[in-house]
């Protein structure tokens, strides 16, 4: 049995994929209603209940505080000694190393599994999975990870997969912010918003991520969020802090984080990160009337 704790967009996608592949799945989420679409899953009322008897525990939570709130000493005690705890939550490399130490000290196995992709790709088993931890523990988790991803890459000790994931999310944040600004400039210059977004998405300047977000911006469809703006801001901050520990400054990421912080302040933090374009448009309109 596999326990999936955390049923946000990505977590729900993982659970759907595992159920479709025939795995027995028990799920738990702080908001029970999110499990309603998971036909065939056993819904646990608490984390200890979810992990009891599980061969593999999959964590897909929003941040480090949420992981700490779930993976308490009581929950660790309920995990079978030979079970593997797989953390897919995006956290800092330093935190991941501490978490691995805490799990191992409790006599349990730990695998870091950072996920590259979106909820739709999770549901289709098309993620890229970056793993870190003991090779033998990754091998135990591999059948599940192979089901979730089209590619599984082992990087080394805990912290490596988290760092790799932050590299990608630093790029994502900068791309979404620059896309929003460029399009708003073009619109103010008199060019059709739809024409701009379609042209950018189909151009050599684009990427899969940029084309995906351009589609969301074109349709103004920010819910359900593939990646919430508040999580984008959180990941940029994590990347900046991790880089600062190594003496690396990230001024572009810092500015992008400020932009997503402004989205959160405007009340749109739970919408997809692409909603940044709406903030940029409001700011441009306000500036034009000053």
């Amino acid at each position: 049995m596999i326990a999936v704790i955390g049923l946000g967009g990505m977590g729900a996608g993982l659970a759907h994929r595992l159920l479709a592949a025939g795995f027995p799945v028990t799920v738990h989420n702080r908001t029970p209603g999110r499990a309603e679409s998971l036909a065939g899953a056993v819904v646990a009322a608490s984390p200890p209940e979810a992990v009891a008897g599980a061969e593999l525990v999959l964590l897909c939570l929003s941040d480090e505080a949420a992981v700490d709130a779930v993976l308490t000493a009581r929950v660790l005690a309920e995990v079978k000694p030979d079970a593997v705890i797989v953390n897919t939550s995006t956290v800092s490399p330093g935190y991941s190393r501490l978490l691995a130490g805490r799990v191992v000290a409790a006599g349990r196995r730990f695998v870091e599994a950072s996920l590259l992709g979106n909820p739709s790709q999770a549901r289709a088993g098309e993620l890229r999975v970056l793993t870190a931890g003991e090779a033998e523990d990754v091998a135990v988790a591999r059948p599940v990870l192979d089901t979730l991803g089209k590619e599984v890459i082992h990087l080394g000790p805990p912290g490596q997969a988290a760092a790799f994931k932050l590299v990608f999310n630093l790029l994502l944040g900068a791309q979404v912010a620059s896309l929003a600004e460029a399009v708003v400039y073009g619109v103010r210059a008199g060019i059709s918003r739809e024409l701009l977004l379609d042209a950018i998405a189909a151009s050599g300047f684009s990427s899969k991520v940029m084309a995906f977000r351009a589609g969301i911006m074109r349709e103004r469809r920010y819910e359900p969020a593939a990646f919430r703006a508040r999580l984008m801001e959180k990941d940029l901050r994590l990347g900046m802090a991790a880089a600062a520990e190594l003496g690396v400054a990230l001024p572009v990421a810092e500015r992008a984080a400020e932009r997503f912080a402004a989205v959160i302040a405007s009340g749109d933090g739970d919408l997809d990160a692409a909603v940044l374009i709406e903030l940029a448009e409001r700011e441009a309109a306000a500036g034009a009337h000053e």
Side-chain angles (χ1 to χ4, degrees), residues 20-40:
F23 287 95
V25 177
T26 295
V27 298
H28 171 74
N29 193 73
R30 199 166 42 179
T31 306
R34 289 190 176 175
E36 291 176 356
S37 66
L38 294 168

Side-chain angles (χ1 to χ4, degrees), residues 43 78 122 146 182 191 211-212 221 227 263 287-288:
V43 181
E78 290 292 334
D146 282 338
I191 305 170
F212 179 72
R221 177 184 45 81
F227 189 11
V263 171

Side-chain angles (χ1 to χ4, degrees), residues 264-277:
I264 296 168
S266 76
D268 288 338
D270 288 326
L271 301 182
D272 190 86
V275 78
L276 177 57
I277 194 173

